[in-house]
Amino acid sequence: SAADSMFGSAGKMTSSRPIRIAADPLVASFILPSAIMSMTAGLNPIQIKALNFIINSYDKPDVEDADIRIFLKPRNEGIVWDGLATLIGVVQASVIASSINRKVVPSSLEAAFSGLGDMPSDGKLAVWQPYEPLMSLDVVSMISLRCDAIEPIIRLVRGSADYIGVVPQFAVKDTPEIAILPVPMPHLQMDVQFHPSEEFASKGLCKLIRQAVSDSLA
């Protein structure tokens, strides 16, 4: 059924040009690759070769020439009822530390504190920059590193006995030498919004991409 939706009964793609996806950097780096892999898992090599994607990262969700725009929106901005149809998932935040960081990660790998405000005074906090406006002032004052890229924070925390990181959950899935601390961070949740163009929204392939991205977020 996936092949029929993408290629039609005649075995041809719904469009001969590449599918243009404009995505938030987090989505482009950590979510879309697994979504595309799962979507193409049941296709034969000829069908896979016929699929072409152009994925561009962007900072603002106002790209006009994309077939699909996928962007993040802070959950604390409140529910916009018109946006419920475009909401396909939620990205949670994770507090991370290296397994060598004995200030917060004892041998049992359980957190020694219940929130970022209880972090040891000599600890250092590295935060994915979009989270900073959502944090309380006492936590913001503890930040030693702000970065709009996620990978540098992960590398820093992984090799440090002092740094604690706050990054999206998907970025540290199955990451060696990183412990995810059981610190609840519901105020840092991000909604994932899926906006296809009016022309592309009617295509069966659009529904498959939407489902694949949604499944990758589950």
Side-chain angles (χ1 to χ4, degrees):
S1 62
D4 285 343
S5 296
M6 283 197 283
F7 298 94
S9 58
K12 296 181 179 179
M13 282 290 291
T14 55
S15 175
S16 60
R17 63 172 176 77
I19 301 154
R20 297 165 299 184
I21 302 177
D24 177 274
L26 172 68
V27 175
S29 297
F30 297 99
I31 298 173
L32 279 178
S34 61
I36 291 174
M37 282 192 294
S38 67
M39 188 179 68
T40 58
L43 304 180
N44 64 48
I46 295 176
Q47 293 171 328
I48 293 174
K49 188 175 181 180
L51 278 173
N52 286 288
F53 295 92
I54 296 176
I55 299 175
N56 293 315
S57 298
Y58 68 95
D59 295 326
K60 297 180 180 179
D62 56 0
V63 182
E64 296 180 356
D65 62 347
D67 296 308
I68 301 171
R69 295 178 294 120
I70 308 175
F71 60 92
L72 303 182
K73 180 180 178 182
R75 170 60 60 95
N76 71 347
E77 289 184 4
I79 295 176
V80 178
W81 296 109
D82 291 342
L84 288 180
T86 60
L87 175 64
I88 60 170
V90 177
V91 174
Q92 306 286 348
S94 287
V95 180
I96 61 173
S98 168
S99 57
I100 65 174
N101 190 336
R102 298 303 173 184
K103 295 177 182 178
V104 296
V105 186
S107 58
S108 62
L109 295 182
E110 294 180 356
F113 55 96
S114 58
L116 290 177
D118 298 326
M119 191 177 77
S121 59
D122 57 345
K124 299 177 181 179
L125 193 60
V127 173
W128 185 47
Q129 203 157 7
Y131 284 151
E132 184 176 355
L134 309 177
M135 293 178 161
S136 60
L137 292 178
D138 61 326
V139 173
V140 169
S141 66
M142 300 164 61
I143 298 176
S144 299
L145 173 70
R146 301 160 176 83
C147 189
D148 59 2
I150 298 170
E151 292 89 344
I153 295 176
I154 295 174
R155 288 197 296 268
L156 174 66
V157 170
R158 185 165 49 197
S160 172
D162 300 305
Y163 271 97
I164 295 170
V166 184
V167 296
Q169 185 181 70
F170 278 96
V172 290
K173 187 178 181 180
D174 302 322
T175 303
E177 301 173 358
I178 287 288
I180 299 177
L181 307 182
V183 181
M185 307 290 284
H187 59 294
L188 300 186
Q189 288 180 345
M190 296 275 189
D191 289 342
V192 182
Q193 296 284 331
F194 185 96
H195 284 253
S197 67
E198 185 175 348
E199 176 187 1
F200 195 71
S202 61
K203 298 184 182 298
L205 183 55
C206 179
K207 297 177 182 178
L208 284 176
I209 295 173
R210 176 190 173 105
Q211 188 61 53
V213 173
S214 178
D215 290 346
S216 295
L217 290 164

